[in-house]
Amino acid sequence: MFSFFDFLTFLSQLILLFGLLVFGVAAGWFTLYAFRDRPWQLQIAVFLGFFLLVAALSFSTSASGVGAFTFGSGAALLFWGLKNTREPDDENKTEE
């Protein structure tokens, strides 16, 4: 029998899943933002902090929450990490 408490448990797990997904995207974006054009000491500190956050979440939340966080952060790291921030060369443009 599906009770009210089962519904609340399902709803809380769903909110946890989407919340950690959004938090993963934000953490991935911040990691790349703090990483670019910085000294190597800060780059090491940023990535160690990111990995420490992943380790802390893996011990404190459920497997679905950790999966949502890593999916969001991985997608953010791929999206903003592979994004071309340079302007195209003027040689490739054709003049009319």
Side-chain angles (χ1 to χ4, degrees):
M1 181 85 185
F2 193 68
S3 69
F4 180 69
F5 292 112
D6 291 336
F7 173 72
L8 287 181
T9 302
F10 173 74
L11 188 63
S12 68
Q13 289 295 319
L14 194 64
I15 291 172
L16 173 84
L17 183 79
F18 285 121
L20 283 175
L21 180 70
V22 170
F23 183 64
V25 170
W29 174 83
F30 178 73
T31 300
L32 282 177
Y33 176 76
F35 184 79
R36 291 201 173 145
D37 300 327
R38 303 292 196 270
W40 65 271
Q41 295 93 344
L42 184 62
Q43 291 175 346
I44 290 172
V46 165
F47 271 108
L48 285 178
F50 180 74
F51 290 138
L52 182 65
L53 177 65
V54 171
L57 281 174
S58 68
F59 285 115
S60 62
T61 61
S62 64
S64 62
V66 174
F69 175 80
T70 54
F71 180 72
S73 62
L77 289 173
L78 283 175
F79 179 73
W80 282 294
L82 297 176
K83 191 174 182 181
N84 190 6
T85 57
R86 297 181 184 171
E87 298 273 337
D89 294 337
D90 291 331
E91 299 170 356
N92 295 337
K93 294 181 181 177
T94 59
E95 295 183 20
E96 295 180 35

